[in-house]
Amino acid sequence: MALIVQKYGGTSVADGARIGHVADKVCAARRAGHDLLVVVSAMAGETDRLLSLGKNISQRPNPRELDVLLATGEQVSIALLAIALEKRGLSACSFTGGQVCIRTDDAHTKARILAIDEDKLRDTLARGCIPVVAGFQGVDAAGNITTLGRGGSDTTAVALAAALKADECQIYTDVDGVYTTDPRMVPEARRLARITFEEMLELASLGSKVLQIRAVEFAGKYNVPLRVLSTFKEGAGTLITYEDTAVEAAIVSGIAFNRDEAEITLIGVPDVPGTAYRILGPVAAANIVVDMIVQNVARGGRLDFSFTIHRNDYPQTIDIMQANLRHIGAEQVVGNDRVVKISIVGVGMRSHAGVASSVFQALSEEDISIRMVATSEIKISVVVEEKHLELGVRTLHAAFRLHEPPQQDFLQRSAGASRRRGGITG
Ligand code: ASP
Ligand code: MG
């Protein structure tokens, strides 16, 4: 008999019928002999509705009061689910975050969980009763209600699973798992049976918004096996755990992309110490996040310096560069806000050479030119023109055979040539 934490998101508890369906699923798991703790989000759209109620009264509501307001959404769904469970003959008890002492710091609207007093939950479980806990909320040391940031119910579930040393934390949502890439773009995209925490973090921060990033970090830190599954479709979902041999077989696990990129290049920058700081210092001072940075080798004492930023920050960054052009000593600033980033992610890259050259080969065969490249141990990102996004993602998905289950090794089978040339990730 296992202890399982199940978390149901907003679409899963959107109305009475769906809450009934969730209750049926909880019953089934209970009948299979498991101990269960359930975490729920607010009903779909409810948090947004509450937020706009507050914002209609004041543009900048007091964050403490905002948390009191937002936390009501989850309080409604825990009660409704507990009622639905009792109606099915199960013993259930709803709890707000405060009632089970989910202690957070006092950073209202983005609080972090500091401690959980699991005694009450253990007692409840020992009585054969199913605790139904409100996601997304806690209390600070002074007893004020706090919330954990949008999507925070995932983190509540993982934190409870960690505190209770649950066997698995299951996140039920409206997709049936983590895919090799967005199936709306690549119909052949395949659901991954397993993925590592590291890969999931890369994919999540690169724009695959299946899970709150903080929840994945938390699960990795406390080694909580995390499973993403659909509320509406039966299936095993995707299990996120630490690296194991089954996972190691895949060199590339997934492809993420980001549409909102822009690049800026300073041409003819003097090659003297402090140049990068003179360029990026004012950007950082304006609170603009810089992603990739590329600096070329100087020729004739001058070099070109490029970086990428979020597309929304493009006009302001161009203005900053223009204003600082003389101070930097650059000849010219040019930019392009019609670029995108495509990233391939996989822990197997650590132990395989030639992955980057396979990327370059596949894209060049489609005449897609690469404007910038960045690599980490388990990721290769390229910036390409926006018009090449779909073709680029499809090409790489096919080149690394992501539509096939991962026993087969594309690099070993078909890319001998690129391996002999040697890849930069080697
Ligand atoms: N209800 C909150 C939100 O909409 C928390 C969550 O759903 O995870 O962000
Ligand atoms: Mg969510």
Side-chain angles (χ1 to χ4, degrees):
M1 179 155 109
L3 171 60
I4 296 173
V5 173
Q6 294 190 333
K7 179 256 166 176
Y8 292 93
T11 48
S12 307
V13 294
D15 55 36
R18 288 192 175 178
I19 289 173
H21 176 67
V22 166
D24 289 339
K25 289 184 77 75
V26 175
C27 279
R30 188 81 182 119
R31 246 182 273 119
H34 300 306
D35 271 343
L36 289 169
L37 182 152
V38 185
V39 174
V40 283
S41 292
M43 296 163 86
E46 182 62 8
T47 308
D48 288 333
R49 190 186 72 86
L50 294 166
L51 198 57
S52 63
L53 281 179
K55 296 231 158 139
N56 285 346
I57 294 175
S58 160
Q59 270 303 336
R60 293 179 51 209
N62 179 331
R64 181 191 179 279
E65 304 313 327
L66 205 52
D67 276 350
V68 173
L69 176 66
L70 295 188
T72 62
E74 272 71 11
Q75 190 168 336
V76 171
S77 31
I78 52 171
L80 293 176
L81 181 58
I83 291 168
L85 289 171
E86 299 240 286
K87 190 179 164 210
R88 284 161 179 75
L90 291 179
S91 157
C93 187
S94 66
F95 294 108
T96 64
Q99 284 176 313
V100 287
C101 303
I102 299 181
R103 262 281 313 287
T104 70
D105 59 20
D106 60 4
H108 284 291
T109 75
K110 45 179 185 300
R112 286 186 175 261
I113 296 176
L114 300 176
I116 290 175
D117 176 7
E118 74 264 39
D119 290 349
K120 191 181 256 170
L121 291 169
R122 286 204 193 282
D123 289 349
T124 308
L125 287 164
R127 281 189 282 118
C129 177
I130 300 172
V132 181
V133 181
F136 175 59
Q137 55 179 261
V139 282
D140 69 9
N144 297 300
I145 294 174
T146 55
T147 65
L148 309 179
R150 297 307 302 270
S153 297
D154 292 347
T155 303
T156 304
V158 171
L160 288 169
L164 295 166
K165 301 191 177 54
D167 297 282
E168 194 167 289
C169 180
Q170 302 178 337
I171 308 282
Y172 283 90
T173 177
D174 46 5
V175 295
D176 66 344
V178 180
Y179 276 69
T180 49
T181 195
D182 188 339
R184 284 168 300 188
M185 185 175 289
V186 183
E188 302 79 41
R190 187 174 45 84
R191 181 178 55 77
L192 293 159
R194 309 176 68 123
I195 188 171
T196 68
F197 288 118
E198 282 174 290
E199 290 170 321
M200 189 63 211
L201 281 175
E202 290 283 7
L203 291 172
S205 56
L206 291 167
S208 320
K209 298 175 188 68
V210 188
L211 281 173
Q212 204 200 28
I213 292 177
R214 254 165 77 190
V216 182
E217 282 169 357
F218 211 107
K221 187 166 167 197
Y222 294 97
N223 199 3
V224 178
L226 199 57
R227 193 184 290 277
V228 177
L229 351 77
S230 164
T231 309
F232 309 107
K233 189 171 146 194
E234 287 299 317
T238 299
L239 179 65
I240 308 161
T241 54
Y242 274 106
E243 205 164 323
D244 68 6
T245 42
V247 178
E248 258 167 7
I251 297 171
V252 175
S253 293
I255 302 180
F257 50 85
N258 210 327
R259 299 173 194 269
D260 306 315
E261 303 279 325
E263 71 178 30
I264 291 188
T265 299
L266 287 134
I267 296 173
V269 182
D271 179 26
V272 292
T275 295
Y277 175 64
R278 271 194 297 280
I279 295 170
L280 296 179
V283 179
N287 251 321
I288 293 169
V289 177
V290 172
D291 180 13
M292 289 191 201
I293 301 171
V294 175
Q295 179 178 330
N296 292 331
V297 176
R299 284 171 56 192
R302 290 189 175 265
L303 52 81
D304 295 345
F305 186 102
S306 303
F307 58 96
T308 62
I309 46 174
H310 192 282
R311 199 171 281 179
N312 291 346
D313 295 325
Y314 180 73
Q316 195 192 349
T317 312
I318 287 280
D319 287 349
I320 295 173
M321 290 300 113
Q322 294 287 10
N324 284 284
L325 211 56
R326 287 207 23 217
H327 174 61
I328 297 167
E331 286 158 8
Q332 204 190 340
V333 54
V334 293
N336 185 346
D337 65 349
R338 295 283 146 225
V339 294
V340 295
K341 179 168 76 172
I342 304 175
S343 305
I344 63 167
V345 173
V347 288
M349 280 184 212
R350 282 204 185 104
S351 49
H352 283 80
V355 183
S357 55
S358 300
V359 170
F360 303 154
Q361 182 187 353
L363 294 178
S364 76
E365 278 164 10
E366 295 296 334
D367 271 333
I368 297 175
S369 64
I370 299 168
R371 308 177 66 91
M372 276 193 225
V373 184
T375 63
S376 79
E377 260 200 307
I378 66 161
K379 178 181 79 176
I380 298 169
S381 300
V382 295
V383 173
V384 299
E385 276 187 57
E386 186 176 69
K387 64 175 190 224
H388 288 143
L389 173 64
E390 293 210 13
L391 180 61
V393 173
R394 290 208 183 107
T395 299
L396 293 173
H397 199 273
F400 286 97
R401 300 192 168 271
L402 293 183
H403 54 285
E404 289 173 1
Q407 320 86 331
Q408 289 177 311
D409 184 335
F410 161 71
L411 286 165
Q412 270 157 24
R413 222 162 2 92
S414 66
S418 39
R419 171 164 296 182
R420 276 192 297 280
R421 278 202 304 275
I424 60 168
T425 55

